[in-house]
Amino acid sequence: MRILYQLLVVLFLMLQGAAGQPFIPGDPCEAQNGRCFPGICRRPYYWVGTCQNGFSCCRKYVEV
């Protein structure tokens, strides 16, 4: 029974990947090393998406 459960989890993750929706637990903005700001992103941050509360997800510039 435990093997069946694990196979269902693997199938679920594969179907999400095939649909183009990666499974990232938690806040997607934090997964991208971003922070949520109201309004637009200001320097030294740039926009990478939208947070769950509607704020802008901003990530800091990193120079190499």
Side-chain angles (χ1 to χ4, degrees):
M1 194 66 166
R2 186 173 182 181
I3 292 173
L4 178 63
Y5 172 73
Q6 289 177 347
L7 288 174
L8 286 174
V9 169
V10 170
L11 178 65
F12 174 73
L13 292 174
M14 287 176 56
L15 287 176
Q16 274 197 327
Q21 299 175 352
F23 177 71
I24 302 174
D27 186 22
C29 189
E30 287 180 12
Q32 298 181 36
N33 294 328
R35 297 178 64 190
C36 295
F37 289 103
I40 62 172
C41 302
R42 306 272 183 198
R43 285 186 186 180
Y45 295 93
Y46 65 97
W47 186 83
V48 291
T50 307
C51 296
Q52 293 174 343
N53 58 3
F55 287 178
S56 295
C57 179
C58 306
R59 184 167 42 186
K60 198 170 195 172
Y61 283 110
V62 177
E63 293 186 22
V64 253

